[in-house]
Amino acid sequence: MSKPIASASRTREILTTYELRARKSYGQNFLIDVSVVARTADASHCEGAVIEIGPGIGSLTEQLALRSRHVRSYEVDERLLPVLEEELREYDNIEIILQDFLNCDLEVTVKKLEARYGTVSVCANLPYYVTTPILFKLFEGPEAVQYITVMIQKEVADRFSAEPGSSEYSALSVESQVLYRVKKLFTVPRTAFSPSPNVDSAVIQFERRPGIVADREFFELIRASFHQRRKTLYNNLKEYTGSSDMAETLIRESGFEAGVRAQELSPDEFVRLYQTKKRIEG
Ligand code: SAM
């Protein structure tokens, strides 16, 4: 039995054999800590089908394959394809797709995977330069994806999981917490990667809240409410709606104090604000 790909020695061996150098432009930092990778896969609810973004040389892919019925993994760097084919050849439940995840048809993919394997989750060590666009593609994607478990920069994880009133609480926190129960699972030191990045990471999990649909208009309202953090919600809404009357009515009819700031409102209060807006607009 060979060592797991995530072990430091096997990673080194693979990089040497294929004369590979990590590509910074693709955000390549390979995990070299088996326990971190195993813990991430264990937490991911991957028993049906799991979608991975960025397999790299396959460290997390392998651990997912050991725990799930099917792994569908998207990679942009074509140099990694022969490596993955060879190193993961003993697994027959892995499908590697050479494609930018941002261009895939998530709706169709999730539907097919769900029909065949029952559940669909997402688990990935995300490339940092596209963390937010990838997560927003998932947030706007099908509700069938119940769990998204991802490794991201610790600082960004803190923003997603921040509570109302804290300095990290932002539009990002509200947008994700309206749709998901957000849990920071554990932090990962920079030394768990090769090459080692300049910042620490964290594994964060988004568990879908049932029955909540957030459209672009709702996200727009949230972003507008935080537009100028130092200003009151009234001032931000006045600018967004172009009407002081409308801003005042929205705040009053949602049951908020006149001088409230966006950072004091909970995700559920933002849902109320949006519902008020929809009701007023008819
Ligand atoms: N999963 C591996 C690990 O944990 O060692 C590699 C993680 S590395 C941080 C990110 C991976 O995502 C790289 O393999 C990179 O080539 C790939 N990647 C970058 N942008 C991508 C995109 N838009 N779609 C799919 N994969 C991408």
Side-chain angles (χ1 to χ4, degrees), residues 26-31 52-60 74-77 80 99-102 125-130 134:
Y26 284 143
Q28 290 175 355
N29 298 97
F30 303 121
L31 274 163
E52 184 192 18
I53 299 122
I57 59 169
S59 48
L60 178 61
Y74 292 87
E75 177 56 63
V76 267
D77 185 352
L80 299 173
Q99 188 184 20
D100 183 333
F101 175 73
L102 293 173
N125 167 17
L126 289 181
Y128 293 161
Y129 76 107
V130 272
I134 288 175

Side-chain angles (χ1 to χ4, degrees), residues 67-248:
R67 292 162 176 79
S68 87
R69 289 182 64 201
H70 188 80
V71 184
R72 186 175 168 98
S73 194
Y74 292 87
E75 177 56 63
V76 267
D77 185 352
E78 77 277 353
R79 295 177 314 154
L80 299 173
L81 219 55
V83 183
L84 291 162
E85 267 165 21
E86 177 60 22
E87 301 300 323
L88 296 168
R89 69 184 179 283
E90 63 194 83
Y91 302 93
D92 61 3
N93 57 342
I94 300 175
E95 191 188 1
I96 306 285
I97 315 282
L98 183 63
Q99 188 184 20
D100 183 333
F101 175 73
L102 293 173
N103 296 334
C104 82
D105 188 335
L106 196 57
E107 205 77 41
V108 171
T109 303
V110 169
K111 209 174 254 168
K112 279 192 194 152
L113 292 175
E114 192 189 16
R116 184 133 187 225
Y117 302 102
T119 61
V120 186
S121 60
V122 170
C123 185
N125 167 17
L126 289 181
Y128 293 161
Y129 76 107
V130 272
T131 297
T132 317
I134 288 175
L135 284 175
F136 275 94
K137 179 172 173 111
L138 292 166
F139 293 171
E140 289 171 11
E143 244 189 289
V145 178
Q146 283 284 309
Y147 291 93
I148 301 168
T149 310
V150 284
M151 193 172 298
I152 60 179
Q153 281 186 40
K154 183 177 168 296
E155 196 184 291
V156 182
D158 287 341
R159 281 166 56 206
F160 276 114
S161 57
E163 299 201 351
S166 68
S167 60
E168 285 105 353
Y169 190 65
S170 62
L172 211 66
S173 331
V174 179
E175 285 163 334
S176 56
Q177 291 174 32
V178 159
L179 292 169
Y180 301 91
R181 265 182 282 278
V182 182
K183 253 196 285 179
K184 218 170 92 183
L185 300 183
F186 55 94
T187 52
V188 182
R190 61 196 81 181
T191 49
F193 302 88
S194 172
S196 177
N198 296 327
V199 291
D200 293 327
S201 299
V203 175
I204 189 167
Q205 185 165 69
F206 301 89
E207 179 189 353
R208 189 87 192 192
R209 296 170 69 188
I212 303 207
V213 182
D215 51 23
R216 283 198 180 199
E217 209 187 320
F218 186 21
F219 283 172
E220 222 178 80
L221 174 69
I222 296 168
R223 280 171 212 179
S225 302
F226 279 94
H227 182 59
Q228 295 209 51
R229 232 185 132 78
R230 297 162 64 104
K231 288 195 172 177
T232 58
L233 179 65
Y234 167 78
N235 276 314
N236 281 327
L237 289 181
K238 187 170 84 174
E239 195 185 317
Y240 176 55
T241 60
S243 150
S244 47
D245 280 353
M246 180 56 138
E248 200 200 316

